[in-house]
């Protein structure tokens, strides 16, 4: 690596994927920092163009359009890679993180826009089109078949962590290893800053009067915090999270704050979502089976019972 003494700190903030991305790294010159950071943000833009379910014509939306047609979709290496990782993580979490949760997420987005609560038959229909096992991947030719009609892939719970990992790879290709990216709460952390043991990461637990802040010193890992209550839907006094249970089709009403430290940002992002769905008890069981994963500070505060029509 570079001589630590010749390195300077560079920091950038940009909006992407609906969040603020904060990038910090150490580089030997302004010109290298500029090309590296420009390339990093260009990479995020590229990933968004392929993987966003908000963009008409994104690669993932074109894939979803083939659901239930029997058509084989030939995916880019990027799309295929994140699908493989997603399917693997869905399996590891008993489907609590499920990359095919799209139909449920779409149903709720519509309900929030028009301020109604989806009825049982709508929930049932959406749930029937969810199931990571219905995603068939063939690595020989990177082709994908979505086995059931109305299936829809949603990378919302893994995409930012994946993007953060990818950005660190881009920086590495410029010779920059001492880097850190916060993708709106999904972090990927590289080598330590010069003369330091790691990056200082603040994690808060609890809420209201009991909020506590913990400072961790970390390197070469991913960190994700889920269960932030700032994205939610209130209906008749009940707060529904933007994280939904693939099992019930309903937004979570027990709000668990979960911080996961994992070998990569991709793993941390998906697992933090999964542990929110699983809750403390089931989450602990799943966490035990995972290697190299640390789950931190599970904190639950149940709101009132969910409203079912
Ligand atoms: P954040 O957006 O704060 O990073 P998450 O990583 O949990 O939070 O991502 C939430 C998004 O993931 C939702 O907006 C939705 O698009 C999608 N999603 C919601 N519930 C699930 C789930 N159980 N499994 C997979 N994806 C989900
Ligand atoms: Mg997530
Ligand atoms: Mg996330």
């Amino acid at each position: 690596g570079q001589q630590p003494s010749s390195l300077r700190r560079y920091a950038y903030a940009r909006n992407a994927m609906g969040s603020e991305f904060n990038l910090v790294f150490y580089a030997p010159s302004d010109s290298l920092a500029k090309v590296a950071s420009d390339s990093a943000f260009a990479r995020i833009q590229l990933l968004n163009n392929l993987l966003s379910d908000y963009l008409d014509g994104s690669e993932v939306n074109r894939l979803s359009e083939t659901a239930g047609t029997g058509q084989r979709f030939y995916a880019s290496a990027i799309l295929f890679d994140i699908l493989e990782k997603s399917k693997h993580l869905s399996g590891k979490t008993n489907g609590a993180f499920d990359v095919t949760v799209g139909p449920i997420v779409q149903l709720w987005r519509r309900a929030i826009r028009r301020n109604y609560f989806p009825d049982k038959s709508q929930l049932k229909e959406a749930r029937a089109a969810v199931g990571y096992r219905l995603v068939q991947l063939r690595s020989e030719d990177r082709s994908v078949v979505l086995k059931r009609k109305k299936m829809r892939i949603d990378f919302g719970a893994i995409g930012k962590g994946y993007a953060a990992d990818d950005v660190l790879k881009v920086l590495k290709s410029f010779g920059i290893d001492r880097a850190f990216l916060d993708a709106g709460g999904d972090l990927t952390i590289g080598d330590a800053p010069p003369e330091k043991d790691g990056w200082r990461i603040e994690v808060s637990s609890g809420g209201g009067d009991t909020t506590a802040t913990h400072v961790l010193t970390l390197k070469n890992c991913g960190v994700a915090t889920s269960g932030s209550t700032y994205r939610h839907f209130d209906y008749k006094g009940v707060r529904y999270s933007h994280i939904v249970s693939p099992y019930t089709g309903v937004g979570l009403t027990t709000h668990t704050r979960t911080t996961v430290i994992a070998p990569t940002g991709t793993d941390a992002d998906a697992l933090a979502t999964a542990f929110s769905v699983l809750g403390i008890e089931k989450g602990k069981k799943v966490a035990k089976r995972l290697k190299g994963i640390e789950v931190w500070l599970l904190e639950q505060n149940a709101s009132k019972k969910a409203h079912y029509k």
Side-chain angles (χ1 to χ4, degrees):
Q2 295 116 356
Q3 281 302 309
S5 56
S6 64
L7 294 175
R8 288 225 312 272
R9 182 181 185 276
Y10 294 86
Y12 306 84
R14 262 287 172 111
N15 287 316
M17 298 184 165
S19 303
E20 189 175 274
F21 278 55
N22 283 288
L23 173 63
V24 183
F25 59 72
Y26 289 81
S29 72
D30 291 356
S31 60
L32 183 61
K34 183 172 179 357
V35 287
S37 60
D38 284 349
S39 303
F41 288 111
R43 184 69 179 182
I44 295 165
Q45 195 60 51
L46 166 82
L47 290 176
N48 193 57
N49 289 341
L50 297 181
L51 307 178
S52 171
D53 61 305
Y54 285 96
L55 293 176
D56 288 338
S58 67
E59 190 186 13
V60 68
N61 280 349
R62 285 190 291 110
L63 166 62
S64 293
E65 278 161 25
T66 67
T69 63
Q71 227 178 298
R72 194 161 275 288
F73 186 89
Y74 295 89
S76 68
I78 292 172
L79 178 62
F80 197 81
D81 181 51
I82 189 172
L83 278 170
E84 276 189 321
K85 290 184 166 128
S86 297
K87 222 187 139 176
H88 177 74
L89 287 157
S90 295
K92 289 273 185 209
T93 60
N94 302 335
F97 160 79
D98 191 321
V99 73
T100 65
V101 81
I104 295 173
V105 172
Q106 295 294 322
L107 177 65
W108 283 95
R109 278 192 203 148
R110 225 167 25 243
I112 292 168
R113 266 202 311 275
R114 300 181 195 160
N115 195 37
Y116 69 90
F117 197 92
D119 65 31
K120 275 210 169 102
S121 69
Q122 287 174 306
L123 286 169
K124 197 175 160 201
E125 195 188 319
R127 276 212 324 270
V130 173
Y132 66 92
R133 288 189 184 86
L134 302 168
V135 179
Q136 213 173 62
L137 301 176
R138 192 165 77 187
S139 50
E140 291 77 52
D141 58 1
R142 280 196 222 107
S143 65
V144 188
V145 179
L146 303 181
K147 301 288 279 181
R148 200 170 287 170
K149 269 193 298 197
K150 302 212 169 148
M151 283 177 72
R152 223 186 132 102
I153 303 293
D154 181 333
F155 292 121
I158 191 170
K160 285 188 286 157
Y162 187 86
D165 287 345
D166 226 31
V167 160
L168 261 69
K169 282 182 204 146
V170 168
L171 295 176
K172 260 194 186 7
S173 74
F174 287 92
I176 296 169
D177 299 319
R178 302 169 190 271
F180 160 92
L181 177 65
D182 179 352
D186 294 305
L187 280 52
T188 301
I189 302 169
D191 285 350
E195 277 124 38
K196 295 271 165 60
D197 294 331
W199 296 81
R200 285 166 57 87
I201 308 298
E202 275 187 18
V203 180
S204 62
S205 64
D209 297 337
T210 62
T211 302
T213 301
H214 310 260
V215 179
L216 311 175
T217 302
L218 298 169
K219 62 183 171 191
N220 299 314
C221 64
V223 182
T225 299
S226 236
S228 46
T229 41
Y230 68 96
R231 280 175 69 196
H232 53 76
F233 163 53
D234 288 319
Y235 188 81
K236 296 198 177 163
V238 180
R239 176 155 293 190
Y240 299 89
S241 165
H242 73 303
I243 300 175
V244 301
S245 162
Y247 313 129
T248 64
V250 180
L252 302 185
T253 51
T254 300
H255 302 287
T256 310
R257 186 190 277 276
T258 317
T259 296
V260 175
I261 304 171
T264 67
T266 306
D267 291 344
D269 191 357
L271 292 172
T273 304
F275 290 129
S276 293
V277 172
L278 292 165
I280 292 175
E281 287 311 314
K282 286 189 198 126
K284 274 186 185 160
K285 283 191 193 128
V286 167
K288 267 195 196 140
R289 296 201 308 257
L290 300 166
K291 285 208 187 84
I293 308 291
E294 205 176 319
V295 185
W296 251 72
L297 313 167
L298 285 162
E299 198 85 27
Q300 244 173 13
N301 51 81
S303 68
K304 278 180 264 174
K305 249 195 136 41
H307 166 84
Y308 291 98
K309 252 189 183 168

